[in-house]
Structures are given as C-alpha cells and as structure tokens.
Amino acid sequence: MLDFTWRRLAPARISGLVLFLCAASIGMMLSTASPAAAADPPDDHQQALASLANVKAAIDELVRVDASYSTDRNVYHHASQQAINLLAGEHGDGYVAGPDLTNPGAGAIGHIDSLLDRKASPTWAEPLHGSLVNLLAAVSYLQDSLKARELMDYQLSASRAIAYLEVARGRPTETGVLGGLEGALANTVLGVPEGATQVDGCGTPSSAPSYGTHNGYLAWVAVPAGDGSHALPEATGGTEIVTGNGVIMLRTAAASLVSAACNRHTELIPPPVDSSSALPAEFHSMVIPAAASVGSDPGTAAAANPPALYTKVQAKAGARLFATTCAKCHGANLQGSAAPSVAGDDFLLTAKRNGWTLAIVRYLVVNNMPMNSPSSLTPTQYASLMAFLLASNCYPAGETPFPDTTDPSFATIKLGPVPGTHPGRNGKGVCKVG
Ligand code: HEC
C-alpha cells in the first residue's frame, strides 16, 4: 500500500460554507460514475434521495406560501395539498390528483416504506423509522391545515407540520447531521451510490473517488484533489477534511465511531459509558448503547453524586402531567415517537454531546413545549415536568423542590448519563418514576 500521509486541514470546526461546498462537490462525480439504467428499479441510495427531495420540496412549498402573504385561503390550502401529495405519494392517504398538483410517484413516505420493507435491519433502519413517524405526523397536521378557515389556524397547523418535517429530514449540527434522512445518508452505507468504489473504512483511501465504509457506517468520502468541481448528492455534514497524496478526504460524523471499532479489532459494539463521549450524538437514533453497560461501569465512580434537584412528590405530579400533555409526541415511556426521546440513553447522549445544561433543557421545555401550545402551562406545572424528566433520567430526588423559575446554577449543570446502578431502569435507560 502507498505510504499515505494525511495532513489535517481543519480539526472539527469547519465553517458551514466550506463544508457545504465541499460536500456539494464530491458526489456528482461519484454518482455520475454509475448511472443506473433507466428501467431498473431505484436502488436504496436513490430511494432515500428521492424521499429526501420530496420532504424538502414539501417544506419549500409551505415556507413559500407563508412568505407570500396571500389573503386567499385557497392559496394556502393548495400549498398544503401539494405538500401532502409530495409526502404521501400517489398511493398514500390524502393524495389528491389535480392539474396544478404534483404527482410525486411513490412520495417521501412511499420511498421510505419500500426501503424499510425488508427482513434484515440495516444500520440506517432506525433513523428512517424515525423519519417515517415524523412524516406521518406532518401529514396529519397538514390535513388539519386544510380544514382551517382562519389564517392563524392554518399557520399553527402548517408550522407544526414543518417542525415534524425538519426532524424527518435530519437536524444539522456542528459535527454532522443528526438522525433523519440526511443523517442516514451522511453516515451510513445508504449514502453510497450504487456502483461507487467502496473500501474498508478502517483504512485510508488509496484511490479516489471512493467511499470508506465499515459495518454499515460511512466513515469517509474521498475525491481527487485535482482541478475541477465535484458535487455530492447530499450534504454529508462531515467533521473533518484531510488531504494527502492528491486526495481530499471528508470524514463523516461516523468516522470516530468506525475508527474506535477498527482499533479494537471488534465489530461496532456500543461503547460503555466512559467512552460515550466519543459517540457522536448524530447516532443517537442509530446506535443504542447497551443499557446494561451504562452506569454499571465501575470506572465512572468519579463522576458520581449528581445533584438532587427535585422532590419525589413533584416528579409524581410531573408524571401525570406528562401523560396528558407530552406523551402523545414523546411516547408514554419518553422513548420518543413522533418527537425525539426526552429520557434514557438516547436523550442523555444527545444532551451530553451537545453540552446541554439544565438551563438549556428547562428553557426548551418552558418556552417551546408542548410544541402544539408553547408556554401554556403554569410555572409550577413546568417545575413538576422538569422533576419528572430528571427522575426519568435517573437523577436522584432530594428534599428541595425544583424551583418555578430558573436558577443561575442550572447553567453549570451539564446533563448526561448518571453513573451508578439504578433499579427500575429499563432497557432504554429510562428510570421508572413513582
Ligand atoms: C405536538 C408534539 C409535542 C408535544 C405535545 C410536546 N413536544 Fe416536546 N418536542 C416535540 C418536537 C417535535 C421536538 C423536537 C424539536 C426540535 O428538534 O426543534 C421536541 C423537543 C423536546 C425536548 C428537547 C429534546 C430534543 O432532543 O430536542 C424536550 C425536553 C421536550 N420536547 C419536552 C416536552 C415536554 C415536557 C412536553 C409536555 C409539556 C412536550 N415536550 C410536549 C414535540 C412535542
């Protein structure tokens, strides 16, 4: 093999623009390398791209009509129907044919359905399942918007639909793309076009263009460093650009996960808690750490003694409130359904990775939740909900209630997995309350 010396151009923080340009450059050349025959059924990669294109088109449609300031109700209803068509597809519920309406074929949901319609469960199945749930929720809000007679009612339903669509699409973060379709395309083999050169992601590229994959994850994409432009079909949201031997290598957010697996000469086993900081949050919906290993690791004792921030009574009151006002989106067991999980390994790793403090999470809950009616609860009710969330995340109860207003100390409390053994913790790392 060539003696390949990699030069780091930029560690971790690359400006969004550079990444976008770079990401935008790489794929066209890779995908034009393997044009699929017209009659062939679309491969996985193309299906995912088609689904994503439909989701984006639906978002664009809703955003465009919102910016039109039209006073004609029909204009808004037309946009909603157009978005429903794009999502549901011609065989989906709610599809309406019309001369000025798009027929998107399978539609975003149809494409995901056929991707998930298989016995094996590929690495990308989890984020795609999440997308599907969010797309269905968006369609149901769009159907509500069709019934709206007042602009305000329309906007409420449409903006909720957009929120779900954004989650289905995937959330870009500094280190990559979180979940959804873009997350799956950026970090798993779903992002590799059919016929493209795929090599083991444990190594470095010896030729370009090529894709480095390992156990279903995409660790890097390589393009020649010569003149000219390349375009990726999708933003990969890489974390790092490395050059060497005439090749530009874009490391994805999955790269650290893959190299950890390579160094251990093992398969991609979910890491124990003390290495969980190496797990990109982007994978919170792709890799669920084994619950048994989280917290029972003796190596984490130093981080023990998390603060007691609420009382048991409060947490129980919060549990009742959660069931009536939050569970329909976040799941009865806080595991996430239409919306992200709010407790357990999945949520805590996201929190840890993003550096969420108690102040941030409290702010999110008090100002944005419940998403269908933000700030609609009393300060005492929000305090109970925060107590419930902390309890469900295995934080200990104490004598002092969670306060009705924020506290300066909350900005210094970083949320993350709570070490120690927790009887009553379920397989997803959620502690039972009550
Ligand atoms: C109508 C659906 C809906 C309801 C009801 C709802 N949420 Fe949410 N919630 C969401 C969505 C969607 C997000 C993700 C928002 C985003 O990514 O910007 C979210 C995010 C959150 C987050 C941050 C988690 C993360 O990973 O982004 C917390 C915490 C949260 N909600 C708590 C609550 C609580 C507590 C309630 C009840 C008072 C509640 N939510 C009710 C839809 C909902």
Side-chain angles (χ1 to χ4, degrees), residues 134 141 160 163-164 166-167 171 178 284 321-322 324-330 338-343 346-347 350-351 354 356 360-362 364-366 368-373 376-377 381-382 385-386 388-389:
N134 284 292
Y141 276 116
R160 276 171 218 156
Y164 284 108
E166 291 289 357
V167 178
R171 289 191 272 170
L178 170 69
H284 82 292
L321 257 176
F322 189 90
T324 53
T325 48
C326 320
K328 58 178 168 286
C329 295
H330 290 289
S341 67
V342 287
D346 181 41
F347 171 74
T350 305
N354 293 336
W356 282 349
I360 291 173
V361 173
R362 182 187 174 278
L364 278 176
V365 171
V366 172
N368 300 353
M369 297 295 137
M371 189 161 244
N372 47 355
S373 181
S376 58
L377 306 175
Q381 286 176 315
Y382 280 117
L385 281 165
M386 287 305 299
F388 174 63
L389 291 182

Side-chain angles (χ1 to χ4, degrees), residues 108-372:
I109 291 172
H111 284 299
I112 292 187
D113 268 341
S114 48
L115 278 167
L116 291 174
D117 191 15
R118 56 183 81 203
K119 285 211 179 69
S121 183
T123 1
W124 42 258
E126 280 259 359
L128 258 54
H129 271 297
S131 294
L132 187 58
V133 173
N134 284 292
L135 291 178
L136 293 169
V139 169
S140 105
Y141 276 116
L142 288 171
Q143 264 151 353
D144 286 354
S145 78
L146 287 176
K147 295 178 210 129
R149 306 200 67 78
E150 301 295 333
L151 181 57
M152 225 181 80
D153 294 336
Y154 171 86
Q155 280 173 329
L156 256 177
S157 306
S159 62
R160 276 171 218 156
I162 292 175
Y164 284 108
L165 290 177
E166 291 289 357
V167 178
R169 169 184 173 165
R171 289 191 272 170
T173 69
E174 235 166 56
T175 47
V177 184
L178 170 69
L181 279 157
E182 288 196 335
L185 277 162
N187 302 296
T188 73
V189 288
L190 198 55
V192 182
E194 201 169 59
T197 307
Q198 238 186 93
V199 298
D200 184 10
C202 287
T204 50
S206 52
S207 70
S210 60
Y211 288 79
T213 63
H214 190 75
N215 267 17
Y217 289 90
L218 174 63
W220 48 257
V221 180
V223 290
D227 290 348
S229 70
H230 318 292
L232 271 186
E234 251 344 291
T236 64
T239 55
E240 200 175 34
I241 296 169
V242 196
T243 62
N245 283 12
V247 174
I248 299 174
M249 177 170 82
L250 175 69
R251 279 161 61 92
T252 70
S256 60
L257 194 66
V258 168
S259 58
C262 303
N263 291 340
R264 284 205 303 269
H265 301 292
T266 57
E267 298 315 312
L268 287 170
I269 301 166
V273 70
D274 55 352
S275 62
S276 64
S277 55
L279 179 72
E282 293 70 23
F283 295 98
H284 82 292
S285 55
M286 300 183 199
V287 179
I288 312 279
S293 70
V294 176
S296 50
D297 185 335
T300 57
N305 304 325
L309 297 154
Y310 65 92
T311 66
K312 273 192 175 147
V313 175
Q314 243 186 337
K316 278 191 196 164
R320 287 189 295 273
L321 257 176
F322 189 90
T324 53
T325 48
C326 320
K328 58 178 168 286
C329 295
H330 290 289
N333 299 315
L334 309 89
Q335 76 281 19
S337 55
S341 67
V342 287
D345 302 332
D346 181 41
F347 171 74
L348 286 168
L349 288 178
T350 305
K352 184 171 178 175
R353 183 74 187 183
N354 293 336
W356 282 349
T357 61
L358 184 57
I360 291 173
V361 173
R362 182 187 174 278
Y363 181 92
L364 278 176
V365 171
V366 172
N367 292 289
N368 300 353
M369 297 295 137
M371 189 161 244
N372 47 355

